[in-house]
Amino acid sequence: VDVRYRSWMNVPFTLVDEKLDGAFLKGAESAGLLGLKGHRAVGGMRASLYNAVSENSVAVLIDYMREFQRANG
């Protein structure tokens, strides 16, 4: 996405291997992280960081992402 149009609230990202998307989303849901599936036209993941999202919640997402990367490469 062109820098001029990037959202400060929605953080899109993809995994290196899209075959891991299902496992990522399932693990995220188990960790209480909901709504990370990206837009159907774009795919990947999208974390929405609106005002109601606490810094602690962002830290939980970061920790989950790091652990998933460690476990899955």
Side-chain angles (χ1 to χ4, degrees):
V1 176
D2 187 289
V3 174
R4 296 174 295 173
Y5 304 109
R6 289 184 188 166
S7 171
W8 289 56
M9 303 271 187
N10 292 302
V11 181
F13 58 96
T14 57
L15 303 180
V16 174
D17 183 352
E18 67 181 39
K19 293 176 187 170
L20 293 172
D21 286 2
F24 180 87
L25 291 169
K26 185 175 182 178
E29 188 172 335
S30 293
L33 301 164
L34 307 176
L36 291 174
K37 186 173 182 181
H39 190 277
R40 67 182 174 270
V42 180
M45 310 297 156
R46 180 178 65 187
S48 295
L49 307 176
Y50 293 97
N51 293 343
V53 175
S54 69
E55 287 185 39
N56 183 63
S57 294
V58 175
V60 169
L61 173 60
I62 292 168
D63 290 344
Y64 171 70
M65 292 171 76
R66 286 183 176 147
E67 177 57 27
F68 188 87
Q69 181 182 30
R70 186 197 62 72
N72 295 281

